[in-house]
Amino acid sequence: MDNELQDFGQKAQNMAENLYIDTRGRTERPVTFTEAVVDGLAAGGGLYVPQSIPQLSLEDITALAQMPYAQRASYVYRAFDVDLPAETVDALMAQAYGDNFDSQAVCPISSLNANTHVLELWHGPTSAFKDMALQCLPRFFSASASQLRDQGKLDHEFLILVATSGDTGKAALEGFRDQDGVSIAVMYPDGGVSDIQFKADGHAAGPQRAGMGRARELRRLPNGREERVQRRRVRAEAA
C-alpha cells in the first residue's frame, strides 16, 4: 500500500498547486486548500470548490479498495494536491481514522442479502455519523491554521461556535477536543435535546464549553403592538 501512496505522491508533485474558487464568483483570487478550510465560506457567501478535479484510473480506484481507510482518505486528499505536506496529510488521516473508531474498517458494510447492503457510520467516538467528517475537519483546520501562521498570513486563534439540537454538538466537541489553536463552544436548547444528548454535550472532556439559558425578545403583532416573548438564550458555561 505504501508503494501506491509513494507513486501517487510523485504524480501529485508533477501537478500545479490546486486552488479553490468561489461558487458565486465574488472572491478576488483563488485560494489555497488551507485558506479555504480556515475561511469556511467564501467572502461572498459562496462555497469553495477546487479548480481541478483529479482523474483516477480504474487501476487507481481498484488500489483504493485494498487500502486501509486512513490511507484511502489520505490518497484522495493528496489527489487534490492540497498545500499541506504529504506526510502531514498521512499523519492527520491516521489520527482521524484510527483507534478512535471501534472498527478497523471505520465504516464497514454489512450485507443483509445479495441486493441489500448497509454502510455502518456509527463506529466513531460519539456513535454519530457526523464523526466521519468531524474527526477529519478539525485536524485539517488546526493544521491549516498553524501553517498559515507560520507563513505570516494569520495571527490569531479561533473559537468555533456551534448550535445543535442533536448529535452534532457532541461530535463537534469530540472532534475539536485538544486541537491546537482552536476552542469550541456548543449551544443547545434547554429541554430541547434528549437526556443522553444533554449528558454528552454537558460532560465532554477538554476545554470546550456547552451552555443553555433563556432570553426575552420582542415580537411585533399585526396591530403594530409589541409583545414580549420568552426565548431561549445561550449562556456559555463550563462543561
Side-chain angles (χ1 to χ4, degrees), residues 33-107:
F33 173 81
T34 54
E35 291 173 316
V37 169
V38 170
D39 284 349
L41 291 176
L47 302 176
Y48 282 118
V49 293
Q51 284 185 320
S52 302
I53 303 296
Q55 300 296 312
L56 300 183
S57 67
L58 180 59
E59 290 75 15
D60 291 332
I61 295 171
T62 302
L64 283 174
Q66 305 304 315
M67 294 180 185
Y69 193 93
Q71 288 189 14
R72 195 181 309 154
S74 179
Y75 186 107
V76 171
Y77 278 109
R78 287 167 62 176
F80 280 87
D81 196 31
V82 301
D83 62 315
L84 287 168
E87 58 271 18
T88 298
V89 177
D90 292 346
L92 293 176
M93 294 304 94
Q95 296 168 16
Y97 303 114
D99 294 340
N100 46 339
F101 281 76
D102 63 17
S103 169
Q104 288 187 346
V106 177
C107 51

Side-chain angles (χ1 to χ4, degrees), residues 9 12 16 57 61 63 73 84 91 101 117 130-131 144 150 154 185 202 232:
S57 67
I61 295 171
L84 287 168
F101 281 76
H117 311 278
K130 296 177 178 68
D131 287 328
S144 296
D150 292 343
L154 196 65
R232 302 298 184 189

Side-chain angles (χ1 to χ4, degrees), residues 5 12-13 17 46 56 83 89-91 102-103 114-115 119-120 135 153 164 178 188 192 195-196 202 204 224 231:
L5 283 174
Q13 289 177 4
E17 183 179 74
L56 300 183
D83 62 315
V89 177
D90 292 346
D102 63 17
S103 169
N115 299 313
L119 181 63
E120 300 180 3
Q135 286 297 298
K153 298 179 180 179
T164 184
D178 300 329
Y188 55 91
D195 183 61
I196 191 170
R231 294 295 186 199

Side-chain angles (χ1 to χ4, degrees), residues 3-217:
N3 290 335
E4 280 99 346
L5 283 174
Q6 290 173 0
D7 292 344
F8 181 79
Q10 186 60 49
K11 293 178 184 177
Q13 289 177 4
N14 297 329
M15 296 170 56
E17 183 179 74
N18 201 1
L19 298 177
Y20 290 73
I21 56 177
D22 176 9
T23 52
R24 297 185 180 180
R26 296 178 182 174
T27 54
E28 296 181 357
R29 62 173 178 82
V31 302
T32 62
F33 173 81
T34 54
E35 291 173 316
V37 169
V38 170
D39 284 349
L41 291 176
L47 302 176
Y48 282 118
V49 293
Q51 284 185 320
S52 302
I53 303 296
Q55 300 296 312
L56 300 183
S57 67
L58 180 59
E59 290 75 15
D60 291 332
I61 295 171
T62 302
L64 283 174
Q66 305 304 315
M67 294 180 185
Y69 193 93
Q71 288 189 14
R72 195 181 309 154
S74 179
Y75 186 107
V76 171
Y77 278 109
R78 287 167 62 176
F80 280 87
D81 196 31
V82 301
D83 62 315
L84 287 168
E87 58 271 18
T88 298
V89 177
D90 292 346
L92 293 176
M93 294 304 94
Q95 296 168 16
Y97 303 114
D99 294 340
N100 46 339
F101 281 76
D102 63 17
S103 169
Q104 288 187 346
V106 177
C107 51
I109 296 176
S110 295
S111 298
L112 303 182
N113 55 51
N115 299 313
T116 306
H117 311 278
V118 178
L119 181 63
E120 300 180 3
L121 300 178
W122 57 81
H123 292 279
T126 75
S127 300
F129 75 88
K130 296 177 178 68
D131 287 328
M132 296 303 300
L134 284 170
Q135 286 297 298
C136 174
L137 173 62
R139 289 171 167 83
F140 268 132
F141 189 98
S142 180
S144 296
S146 177
Q147 179 166 294
L148 292 174
R149 289 190 196 95
D150 292 343
Q151 295 171 348
K153 298 179 180 179
L154 196 65
D155 61 358
H156 58 272
E157 296 187 346
F158 291 88
L159 170 65
I160 306 297
L161 188 60
V162 179
T164 184
S165 61
D167 298 334
T168 302
K170 175 56 177 173
L173 285 168
E174 184 66 25
F176 280 99
R177 178 165 63 91
D178 300 329
Q179 295 301 315
D180 291 338
V182 187
S183 299
I184 181 171
V186 172
M187 305 179 293
Y188 55 91
D190 184 11
V193 297
S194 69
D195 183 61
I196 191 170
Q197 289 169 336
F198 166 75
K199 290 176 179 176
D201 286 338
H203 297 83
Q208 306 85 356
R209 293 177 177 270
M212 61 186 178
R214 296 179 182 274
R216 298 177 68 86
E217 69 177 31

